[in-house]
């Protein structure tokens, strides 16, 4: 098959399947990595017994074959997207495509796949979420979080991630160990800061906490006059884990 | 020569309007003949340029031999021209090099491409060769959809892809077949290494 046709085919492969395509051979890896890929949403969830990478409406679950409980956890998922206010209608979550990768070290396998496209400047994301085991017990977090952050830190600190919305779910104890560099259009906190400055998450959270009420979730709007963009930071503080959310929107009337 | 009388479109002479439409005749590499409307040919940049350059009149089309397409067999060409006739008059998409557009496969195209992988491969190759942009788009999309939810090992089976190791081995074998001296040099090098030498220098 002519290489230009292979290029067209790979270009039409959905974002999640590109992870598999790029593992088949050097030439396909080279083609997949050179193409511009825009993702609406990406999330990485790292749990005790399994990890999960969701790209658009496809999901990849990483688990150890021996761990039967992780299989149940990975399959039995529910959502309430059709709920009408007070009466949630829970139903099995339907993924368009669902794949399971069996690996002895599911954390490592998930982070490897995650990093393969995260560091690629041709990939752009609208919504980006990293969940450091928010649904797990605190005991597991204490043991594992440092290890997870250590694995992810080089990725998050060395490379610029092109993202419009970011959500990080983690316990407060991990903030100080992680460094995150934002895209230059996503620095809402201090308009006097130099662009492309590396922000410490610890610093970001302190800024959020400084204004936060003690008993309820916190939301604050920021408006950047220079870029005519508005941002919202939301930090539900009532219980661990803390959610830090940055939303980016452009107003039509501007 | 076997002639497939209007396999793509049924030409009803009585129903042809006063201003006659031009139907070109093409012949596949296995001597199957096809009649294709002028408008349908416009979907193929290659064929459109070819017929323009030939400047055939209606009489020429009937009297001169069918235009030979030597690289494509009759089975594939029939699918190609069926597609062109169905989509004749439609705008041809322009690739501006930005992020790939979302391609939906229409029902007609889905049925047309309900074929085995070997024939689908030939259809894609023909669409590329004849430069039929939208047919190439939908056929590539069909192949791309096959990747959904597959592991790398499953993809290799579906697409008949060699692994990097197999690819390297095939390249080495091809090189050795081309240049027996290269193999001799390599064996000599290995022998010297066994005798304690590191390189030729």
């Amino acid at each position: 098959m002519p290489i230009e046709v292979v290029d067209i085919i790979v270009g039409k492969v959905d974002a999640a399947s590109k992870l598999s395509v790029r593992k088949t051979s050097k030439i396909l890896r080279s083609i997949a990595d050179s193409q511009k890929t825009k993702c609406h949403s990406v999330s990485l969830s790292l749990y005790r017994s399994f990890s999960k990478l969701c790209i658009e409406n496809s999901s990849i679950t990483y688990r150890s074959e021996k761990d039967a409980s992780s299989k149940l956890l990975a399959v039995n998922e529910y959502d309430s997207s059709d709920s009408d206010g007070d009466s949630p209608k829970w139903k099995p979550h339907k993924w368009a495509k669902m794949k399971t990768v069996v690996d002895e070290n599911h954390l490592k396998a998930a982070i490897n796949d995650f990093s393969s496209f995260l560091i690629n400047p041709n990939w752009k994301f609208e919504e980006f979420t990293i969940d450091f085991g928010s649904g797990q017990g605190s005991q597991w977090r204490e043991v594992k979080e440092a290890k997870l952050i250590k694995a992810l830190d080089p990725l998050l600190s060395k490379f610029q991630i092109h993202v419009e919305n970011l959500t990080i779910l983690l316990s407060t104890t991990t903030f100080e160990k992680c460094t995150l560099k934002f895209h230059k259009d996503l620095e809402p906190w201090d308009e006097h800061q130099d662009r492309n400055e590396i922000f410490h998450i610890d610093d970001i959270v302190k800024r959020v906490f400084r204004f936060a009420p003690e008993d309820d979730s916190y939301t604050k709007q920021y408006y950047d006059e220079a870029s005519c963009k508005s941002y919202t930071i939301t930090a539900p503080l009532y219980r661990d884990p803390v959610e830090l959310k940055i939303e980016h929107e452009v107003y039509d009337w501007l | 020569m076997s002639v497939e009388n209007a396999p793509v479109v049924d030409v009803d002479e009585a129903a042809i309007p006063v201003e006659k439409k031009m139907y070109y005749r093409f012949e596949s590499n296995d001597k199957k003949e096809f009649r294709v409307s002028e408008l349908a040919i416009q979907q193929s940049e290659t064929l459109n340029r070819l017929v323009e350059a030939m400047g055939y009149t209606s009489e020429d089309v009937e009297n001169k031999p069918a235009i030979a397409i030597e690289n494509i067999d009759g089975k594939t060409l029939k699918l190609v021209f069926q597609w062109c006739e169905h989509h004749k008059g439609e705008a041809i998409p322009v690739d501006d090099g930005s992020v790939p557009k979302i391609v939906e496969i229409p029902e007609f195209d889905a049925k047309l491409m309900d074929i085995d992988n070997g024939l689908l491969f030939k259809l894609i190759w023909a669409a590329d060769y004849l430069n039929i942009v939208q047919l190439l788009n939908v056929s590539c999309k069909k192949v791309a959809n096959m990747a959904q939810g597959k592991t790398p090992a499953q993809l290799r089976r579906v697409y008949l892809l060699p692994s990097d190791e197999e690819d390297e081995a095939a390249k080495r074998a091809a090189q050795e077949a081309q240049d027996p001296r290269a193999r001799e040099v390599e064996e000599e090098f290995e022998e010297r290494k066994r005798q304690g030498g590191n390189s030729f220098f």
Side-chain angles (χ1 to χ4, degrees), chain B residues 20 55 78 85 97-98 102-103 114 127 140 151 161 186 193:
Chain B
K20 272 182 121 182
K78 183 177 179 180
E85 287 292 354
S98 61
I102 295 169
V103 175
D114 189 12
C140 285
T151 63
L161 294 168
E186 197 176 321
K193 269 173 62 177

Side-chain angles (χ1 to χ4, degrees), chain A residues 5-239:
Chain A
V5 176
V6 178
D7 191 71
I8 294 171
I9 293 170
V10 175
K12 295 186 187 317
V13 169
D14 65 285
S17 300
K18 273 191 179 174
L19 289 183
S20 287
V21 168
R22 67 185 300 286
K23 286 180 189 170
T24 55
S25 69
K26 282 180 189 168
I27 183 74
L28 288 182
R29 181 159 51 251
S30 163
I31 290 171
D33 289 350
S34 67
Q35 292 180 339
K36 286 178 183 171
T37 305
K38 186 161 186 179
C39 282
H40 173 65
S41 62
V42 172
S43 71
L44 173 68
S45 305
L46 304 168
Y47 300 117
R48 173 170 37 194
S49 49
F50 72 99
S51 304
K52 191 165 188 174
L53 182 57
C54 299
I55 306 173
E56 308 284 23
N57 58 351
S58 298
S59 82
I60 306 169
T61 304
Y62 304 82
R63 63 179 175 81
S64 162
E65 194 170 23
K66 291 173 187 172
D67 192 344
S69 63
S70 67
K71 189 176 181 182
L72 289 173
L73 279 168
V75 171
N76 294 330
E77 292 184 340
Y78 293 85
D79 72 7
S80 59
S81 52
D82 284 349
S83 301
D84 51 350
D86 298 333
S87 53
K89 294 171 186 168
W90 293 98
K91 59 175 185 181
H93 191 108
K94 284 187 180 167
W95 295 97
K97 282 123 338 192
M98 199 164 173
K99 192 172 78 175
T100 301
V101 172
V102 177
D103 194 292
E104 199 174 325
N105 188 341
H106 65 85
L107 293 171
K108 192 179 171 188
I111 290 173
N112 277 349
D113 272 359
F114 184 62
S115 65
S116 66
F117 61 84
L118 185 72
I119 61 176
N120 187 334
N122 287 326
W123 282 62
K124 291 183 170 45
F125 312 96
E126 285 178 30
E127 289 179 14
F128 190 91
T129 305
I130 307 172
D131 184 348
F132 292 87
S134 60
Q136 306 289 295
S138 58
Q139 197 178 3
W140 180 78
R141 285 206 305 272
E142 285 166 15
V143 176
K144 292 284 185 182
E145 266 186 357
K147 198 175 170 184
L148 294 175
I149 295 295
K150 196 176 175 184
L152 275 170
D153 185 46
L155 291 174
L156 298 176
S157 59
K158 283 182 187 170
F159 300 97
Q160 201 170 51
I161 305 163
H162 296 259
V163 55
E164 291 176 17
N165 299 293
L166 173 71
T167 303
I168 298 173
L169 296 157
L170 70 174
S171 76
T172 51
T173 56
T174 57
F175 285 134
E176 60 192 359
K177 294 167 188 167
C178 189
T179 306
L180 194 61
K181 183 180 181 180
F182 288 96
H183 186 269
K184 64 179 180 182
D185 292 336
L186 286 169
E187 294 167 8
W189 300 280
D190 190 341
E191 61 191 61
H192 302 296
Q193 294 270 14
D194 290 330
R195 299 282 179 189
N196 288 326
E197 181 181 348
I198 293 175
F199 282 85
H200 288 270
I201 286 192
D202 183 34
D203 189 37
I204 294 169
V205 173
K206 274 180 189 165
R207 287 165 192 249
V208 175
F209 274 62
R210 194 172 57 194
F211 301 104
E214 291 178 1
D215 58 343
D216 204 352
S217 61
Y218 162 76
T219 302
K220 186 162 178 64
Q221 298 280 342
Y222 289 87
Y223 176 64
D224 184 345
E225 289 182 1
S227 63
C228 298
K229 286 170 185 169
S230 174
Y231 304 88
T232 306
I233 296 178
T234 307
L237 300 175
Y238 41 86
R239 194 182 294 175

Side-chain angles (χ1 to χ4, degrees), chain B residues 178-197:
Chain B
Q178 259 187 342
D179 184 7
R181 176 64 191 147
R183 181 69 195 155
E184 285 170 25
V185 169
E186 197 176 321
E187 282 172 358
E188 198 177 333
F189 178 73
E190 290 298 324
E191 181 58 29
R192 282 184 180 229
K193 269 173 62 177
R194 276 195 292 276
Q195 290 170 2

